[in-house]
Amino acid sequence: MGENKHIDELDAFTKKYVKEIKIDKTPTNFTSSVMDSIIAEKSSNALKSSALISKKAWFFIAASLVTVLFISFKNNKENAISFSKFDFSFLEKFQALNLFENISISKTVFYSVFFFGCMLLCQLVFLKKYFEKQLH
Amino acid sequence: MTNNDQLIINKVLKGNTNAFSELINTYKDLVFSLAIKMTKNREEAEEISQDTFVKAYKNLSKFKGDSKFSTWLYRITYHTCLDALKKNKKHTNSFELNEITLNLIQTTDNALQTLERKERTKIMDKCLLQLPEEERSILWLFYYKELSLKEIIEVTSLSEANIKVKLHRGRKKLLTIVKDTFEPETIAHYGRK
């Protein structure tokens, strides 16, 4: 009860004198300086490019790579990959020949092309950074 | 929030960045005065006020108009100040609270009334700055800015009970500080009146 003693008088006292305090004014160039910060922030955001390949896409690429490698190493008894194994019979529906029937490539060529592709994808990251630097 | 504020906000959201300067001009002194009351430092308050407006600009799309635009700005200012205070690890002195008597309120009031308004406001500002930052800012928002308890809850994220306690303590401490700025003889003189 003692805590709330004379609460109204104390409230009136505080209101009376706090209200008299003068408000602090900002410096004259305040608005222009805030606007400068906002415009600088806005232009820096405009230059920021979003990732070419999203995290989800990277995950998908990594998962595909692991799967392909796993399958390849599991079936390493076979020496070559032949396109004749693939079923291109659906192409007959378009009254065309199965062009890939007689094409076969060695595993070395297959892996070379595959890893070349992977390295090219990785280079995209470096190329992106390079062009970003050029822009700045 | 005024309709004009909403019109300006819409303009800014549609890409007219310069329209934001109208909001800055309207609210800069309100934001700055709260920042200076909390930080007690003009340079720091200026920096915080700038940060507040930049944050407000960046998050303008999140402002749904459920509360006043000023309340939303106060909320950003208050939390930016708290972060800055935490970073600088500034601590205010603790006070020993004496019992508040009606006589104490009246004598302090009489003593203040004898002063010129200019001197009185200077003393009050100085005394207010001696309060702990949370109590100081709540007292400022409640008495100077005349924010309701509901609005202060929005600004500070504190509970109503907590705000009421801080308000009450703040009032008591402020009276004690004001009383202590006067010579004991002065207080005694007005006490006898």
Side-chain angles (χ1 to χ4, degrees), chain A residues 93-109:
Chain A
K93 288 177 188 167
F94 303 102
Q95 293 180 329
L97 291 168
N98 188 351
L99 294 171
F100 305 104
E101 194 174 21
N102 297 318
I103 298 171
S104 69
I105 54 164
S106 71
K107 270 197 168 180
T108 316
V109 174

Side-chain angles (χ1 to χ4, degrees), chain A residues 3 11 17 25 31 33 42, chain B residues 17 25 50 109 143 168:
Chain A
E3 267 288 293
D11 177 63
Y17 292 112
K25 298 269 181 197
T31 306
S33 125
K42 204 183 159 191
Chain B
T17 308
N25 283 331
Q50 282 210 15
D109 190 13
Y143 287 107
H168 188 60

Side-chain angles (χ1 to χ4, degrees), chain A residues 2-7 9-31 33-35 37-39 41-42 45, chain B residues 17-18 20-21 24-25 28-29 32-33 36-37 42 46 49-50 53 57-58 99-100 102 105 109 112-113 120-121 124-125 143-146 168 171-172 175:
Chain A
E3 267 288 293
N4 295 325
K5 236 170 160 185
H6 313 303
I7 192 161
E9 290 84 358
L10 196 54
D11 177 63
F13 173 89
T14 318
K15 189 183 275 177
K16 183 174 166 188
Y17 292 112
V18 170
K19 201 70 192 155
E20 271 191 357
I21 298 174
K22 277 190 179 170
I23 194 165
D24 300 281
K25 298 269 181 197
T26 47
T28 43
N29 62 343
F30 181 81
T31 306
S33 125
V34 177
M35 285 311 289
S37 311
I38 288 172
I39 288 162
E41 182 93 17
K42 204 183 159 191
N45 280 344
Chain B
T17 308
N18 287 329
F20 194 71
S21 62
I24 301 174
N25 283 331
K28 63 182 180 183
D29 290 336
F32 183 66
S33 61
I36 209 164
K37 287 287 167 286
R42 206 175 161 85
E46 207 181 309
S49 306
Q50 282 210 15
F53 283 109
Y57 173 78
K58 282 201 230 164
E99 203 197 331
I100 302 297
L102 190 60
I105 299 170
D109 190 13
L112 278 169
Q113 282 304 315
R120 194 164 63 224
T121 56
M124 284 308 295
D125 196 20
Y143 287 107
Y144 192 89
K145 308 287 182 186
E146 293 177 346
H168 188 60
R171 284 188 285 244
K172 283 171 86 176
L175 179 72

Side-chain angles (χ1 to χ4, degrees), chain B residues 71-123:
Chain B
T71 310
W72 189 67
L73 270 180
Y74 281 141
R75 188 181 162 83
I76 302 173
T77 315
Y78 180 84
H79 289 284
T80 312
C81 284
L82 280 190
D83 288 344
L85 289 167
K86 270 181 208 161
K87 213 156 88 183
N88 297 337
K89 286 176 185 162
K90 280 183 185 171
H91 294 292
T92 36
N93 298 329
S94 55
F95 289 89
E96 202 179 310
L97 278 176
N98 299 321
E99 203 197 331
I100 302 297
T101 59
L102 190 60
N103 184 47
L104 180 66
I105 299 170
Q106 283 168 349
T107 49
T108 314
D109 190 13
N110 291 340
L112 278 169
Q113 282 304 315
T114 59
L115 301 170
E116 295 250 333
R117 191 187 159 114
K118 204 176 169 187
E119 198 186 344
R120 194 164 63 224
T121 56
K122 211 170 152 188
I123 286 176

Side-chain angles (χ1 to χ4, degrees), chain A residues 34-128:
Chain A
V34 177
M35 285 311 289
D36 287 347
S37 311
I38 288 172
I39 288 162
E41 182 93 17
K42 204 183 159 191
S43 49
S44 77
N45 280 344
L47 283 172
K48 265 184 209 165
S49 50
S50 54
L52 283 172
I53 302 169
S54 67
K55 279 185 181 174
K56 271 184 186 174
W58 275 116
F59 179 77
F60 180 73
I61 291 167
S64 311
L65 179 69
V66 170
T67 314
V68 167
L69 286 174
F70 180 74
I71 293 167
S72 307
F73 286 112
K74 210 179 171 189
N75 304 324
N76 61 357
K77 283 174 192 170
E78 294 165 42
N79 292 321
I81 297 165
S82 170
F83 279 99
S84 62
K85 286 178 185 171
F86 297 120
D87 182 18
F88 288 109
S89 58
F90 67 91
L91 289 170
E92 283 170 19
K93 288 177 188 167
F94 303 102
Q95 293 180 329
L97 291 168
N98 188 351
L99 294 171
F100 305 104
E101 194 174 21
N102 297 318
I103 298 171
S104 69
I105 54 164
S106 71
K107 270 197 168 180
T108 316
V109 174
F110 173 78
Y111 289 133
S112 307
V113 172
F114 180 77
F115 285 114
F116 176 76
C118 290
M119 283 178 74
L120 195 72
L121 277 175
C122 292
Q123 281 207 12
L124 278 176
V125 177
F126 295 104
L127 282 171
K128 190 178 149 253

